[in-house]
Amino acid sequence: MAALATLYSFIYVIFALIQKLRRQKCLHRLIFALHTANLVLVLNVAWLFYRTSAMTSYSSLRPFLTANLLCLGFSLVIGSLLLAGLNSKKLSARSKWSHLGSILAASILCANALYWEIYF
């Protein structure tokens, strides 16, 4: 599930950047920030696994664990803002599914990070 959530976030960021380069209408900034935070979280976890395979000390991993905690908090705040604004705005069905998919991807990644205790 986490791999699918990561793939979804990666694809969303790539398409958003392509649309921005073509000077078309920019996608929703909160959703873009949420997907960027998801990718930062995944890259940070991958870096942590790489560093722990080299048997490094806990003090050298502490900044990365703190960064994971910040990414988790950032994702949860943005996800809750998107969820709260879902019914207040007049969105098309496609936009609502995009919002829900983004919230679901962030929830899956946050749940995995919390379950595996990859935070400070």
Side-chain angles (χ1 to χ4, degrees):
M1 292 294 282
L4 290 175
T6 303
L7 183 65
Y8 180 71
S9 292
F10 182 73
I11 289 172
Y12 189 91
V13 168
I14 294 298
F15 278 115
L17 291 175
I18 288 172
Q19 282 187 352
K20 186 68 174 174
L21 290 175
R22 289 185 179 175
R23 302 194 193 280
Q24 292 178 353
K25 182 180 174 186
C26 184
L27 297 175
H28 199 274
R29 289 182 185 176
L30 280 178
I31 296 175
F32 184 77
L34 182 66
H35 286 295
T36 304
N38 288 347
L39 292 177
V40 167
L41 179 69
V42 169
L43 290 174
N44 198 18
V45 168
W47 181 252
L48 277 171
F49 284 138
Y50 170 73
R51 296 285 294 177
T52 56
S53 67
M55 301 300 263
T56 59
S57 66
Y58 178 75
S59 62
S60 67
L61 297 176
R62 198 170 188 177
F64 299 105
L65 294 171
T66 305
N68 274 352
L69 188 61
L70 293 173
C71 282
L72 284 172
F74 188 69
S75 293
L76 290 174
V77 167
I78 291 178
S80 60
L81 286 173
L82 286 173
L83 191 61
L86 194 62
N87 289 331
S88 65
K89 297 178 183 176
K90 293 183 180 181
L91 298 172
S92 66
R94 182 178 177 183
S95 294
K96 283 187 180 184
W97 281 108
S98 175
H99 279 63
L100 288 174
S102 301
I103 294 167
L104 182 65
S107 300
I108 289 171
L109 290 174
C110 288
N112 278 319
L114 291 173
Y115 177 77
W116 291 105
E117 297 179 4
I118 309 171
Y119 55 90
F120 175 62

